[in-house]
């Protein structure tokens, strides 16, 4: 970087911060509604909502309610909504067959949203955990999360979601080889226009706790996800994963969680210059909301500050449970 800063008092960096107008002129990054992807939780039933206790302000929604929510999001200018199904413990199975059922909860919601609110992009989740009796993202055989057999199932899941009308598929499973397998299947089956946003650098994080409550996976999960999700100590490996997924056909890549991994966000964006997103995950949302509810933090201000941090890190967008609240503030 060229050294253009003369010594004090020729340079007084406070000059540019003197008023809101000057601060606006020199602001380097700005959050807009276009940056927001809204993750929502689905449940069976009609005209019902269920508040998720560990995520104040977040609810599971029945399909009719999610259509209304999608309409509201579109009216706020939010470009995309991301669907996560809550599956009752009693209907989870070892073979996870519900995952690629064309009429499963997620696929019914996709169809209903695309019919009623075609302008909003629908993103879906590809991983077996909501359907899996042991809560893992892949099949468990003799205590091991098996890769290649899981990828075959994920491909079926991807095709069913594309068939239902999903615009963006979000593989969140961290199996090896799944992006290439999905891309080939999508091309072969007439879904060449469907985008893949790969959860490329997804860490084995304790910040996912409230999400597992929201999708009903907490009770089910045996052990941890460390044999497939990333070690939080690693950064170089994140770049290898992103590069691998791009070469296999990912259109967009994601870093997850968000706030504790902004260094990874910046490195990915600088290294590859591709559409890059972060997931401000359930635990990040929960901790900000909990502090705000206790009066320990100003909820609106920390929401906006946390989201602008992702823009400053170079990202193209953020998956955040704050999406509607942030959009309302941004829209004035
Ligand atoms: C699972 C999945 C998880 C999240 C999105 N997809 C949890 C996990 O890996 O256990 C977490 C999202 C959040 O915490 O908000 N495939």
């Amino acid at each position: 970087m060229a050294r253009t800063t003369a010594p004090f008092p020729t340079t007084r960096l406070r000059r540019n911060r003197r008023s809101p107008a000057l601060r606006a002129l020199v602001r380097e990054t700005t959050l807009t509604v276009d940056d927001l992807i809204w993750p929502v939780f689905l449940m069976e039933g009609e005209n019902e909502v269920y508040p998720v206790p560990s995520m104040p302000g977040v609810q599971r929604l029945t399909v009719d309610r999610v259509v209304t929510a999608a309409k509201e999001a579109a009216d706020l200018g939010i470009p995309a909504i991301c669907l996560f199904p809550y599956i009752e413990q009693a209907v989870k199975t070892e073979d996870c067959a519900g995952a690629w059922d064309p009429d499963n909860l997620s696929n019914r919601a996709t169809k209903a949203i695309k019919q009623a609110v075609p302008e909003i992009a629908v993103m879906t989740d590809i991983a077996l955990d909501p359907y899996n009796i042991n809560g893992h993202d892949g099949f468990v055989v003799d205590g091991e999360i098996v890769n290649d057999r899981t990828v075959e199932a994920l491909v079926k899941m991807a095709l069913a979601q594309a068939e239902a009308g999903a615009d963006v598929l979000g593989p969140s499973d961290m199996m090896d080889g799944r992006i290439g397998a999905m891309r080939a299947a999508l091309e072969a089956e007439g879904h060449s226009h469907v985008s893949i946003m790969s959860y490329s650098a997804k860490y084995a994080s304790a910040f996912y706790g409230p999400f597992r409550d929201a999708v009903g996976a907490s009770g089910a999960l045996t052990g941890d996800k460390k044999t497939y999700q990333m070690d939080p100590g690693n950064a170089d490996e994140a770049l290898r994963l992103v590069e691998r997924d791009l070469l296999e056909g990912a259109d967009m890549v994601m870093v997850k969680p968000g706030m504790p991994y902004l260094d990874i966000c910046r490195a990915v964006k600088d290294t590859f210059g591709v559409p890059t997103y972060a997931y401000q995950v359930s635990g990040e949302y929960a901790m900000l909301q909990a502090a705000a509810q206790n009066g320990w933090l100003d909820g609106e201000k920390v929401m906006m500050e946390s989201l602008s941090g992702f823009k400053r890190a170079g990202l193209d967008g953020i998956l955040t449970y704050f999406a509607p609240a942030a959009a309302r503030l941004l829209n004035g």
Side-chain angles (χ1 to χ4, degrees):
M1 198 193 287
R3 297 301 305 258
T4 53
T5 302
F8 174 84
T10 307
T11 298
R12 288 179 184 271
L13 287 165
R14 286 184 58 188
R15 285 186 201 117
N16 285 345
R17 300 183 207 127
R18 247 183 72 235
S19 67
L22 290 176
R23 291 195 292 274
L25 270 181
V26 300
R27 187 164 301 128
E28 298 170 38
T29 54
T30 311
L31 178 73
T32 76
V33 178
D34 289 343
D35 301 316
L36 304 172
I37 300 172
W38 185 24
V40 296
F41 299 110
L42 307 168
M43 66 177 184
E44 296 288 359
E46 223 189 285
N47 194 23
E48 266 187 89
V49 302
Y50 173 85
V52 179
S54 50
M55 300 179 72
V58 170
Q59 302 166 323
R60 295 180 194 139
L61 307 169
T62 53
V63 171
D64 54 325
R65 289 290 194 114
V66 89
V67 169
T68 310
K71 180 94 192 66
E72 284 163 9
D75 290 344
L76 286 165
I78 294 172
I81 191 165
C82 182
L83 309 179
F84 293 99
Y86 165 82
I87 309 291
E88 301 276 349
Q89 186 65 28
V91 296
K92 293 179 197 272
T93 59
E94 219 164 300
D95 68 3
C96 304
W100 51 92
D101 179 346
D103 288 317
N104 71 17
L105 180 55
S106 174
N107 291 332
R108 274 182 278 127
T110 298
K111 284 179 223 161
I113 294 170
K114 289 314 292 186
Q115 190 169 21
V117 200
E119 65 273 23
I120 201 161
V122 172
M123 176 169 165
T124 48
D125 182 58
I126 301 182
L128 300 181
D129 54 323
Y131 309 93
N132 201 345
I133 194 134
N134 44 54
H136 278 288
D137 293 23
F139 291 121
V140 182
V141 178
D142 297 333
E144 285 220 12
I145 292 87
V146 296
N147 193 90
D148 301 10
R149 236 191 85 206
T150 299
V151 170
E152 287 170 27
L154 299 174
V155 167
K156 289 193 265 178
M157 205 174 168
L159 289 174
Q161 293 176 355
E163 199 60 49
D167 298 285
V168 182
L169 306 182
S172 69
D173 54 282
M174 288 295 280
M175 297 300 121
D176 285 323
R178 87 269 210 221
I179 303 298
M182 277 174 211
R183 176 54 75 210
L186 290 168
E187 287 291 326
E189 302 294 327
H191 302 295
S192 56
H193 58 283
V194 175
S195 291
I196 298 176
M197 182 190 290
S198 180
Y199 289 62
S200 296
K202 176 172 177 179
Y203 287 84
S205 173
F207 284 99
Y208 307 147
F211 172 96
R212 292 178 190 163
D213 298 340
V215 298
S218 317
L221 185 63
T222 48
D224 58 46
K225 300 192 176 185
K226 290 179 185 171
T227 68
Y228 45 109
Q229 299 180 348
M230 277 184 74
D231 186 314
N234 292 358
D236 291 340
E237 187 188 1
L239 300 181
R240 295 183 72 191
L241 285 162
V242 167
E243 181 174 41
R244 189 266 318 261
D245 287 356
L246 290 170
L247 290 172
E248 288 187 20
D251 304 281
M252 314 175 209
V253 294
M254 191 204 294
V255 175
K256 176 186 175 187
M259 298 187 308
Y261 296 89
L262 287 179
D263 56 329
I264 307 300
C265 297
R266 170 51 75 189
V268 168
K269 188 63 188 180
D270 285 352
T271 306
F272 300 103
V274 299
T276 307
Y277 303 80
Y279 199 142
Q280 183 181 48
V281 300
S282 57
E284 303 177 61
Y285 173 87
M287 68 185 181
L288 295 182
Q289 288 292 78
Q293 285 190 340
N294 275 299
W296 297 338
L297 287 173
D298 180 320
E300 279 189 356
K301 289 197 174 120
V302 293
M303 168 177 78
M304 298 314 269
E305 187 178 331
S306 67
L307 294 173
S308 71
F310 293 104
K311 292 297 289 184
R312 194 187 59 247
L315 296 188
D316 298 282
I318 310 122
L319 287 95
T320 176
Y321 301 99
F322 287 122
R328 266 180 225 111
L329 267 187
L330 289 167
N331 293 337

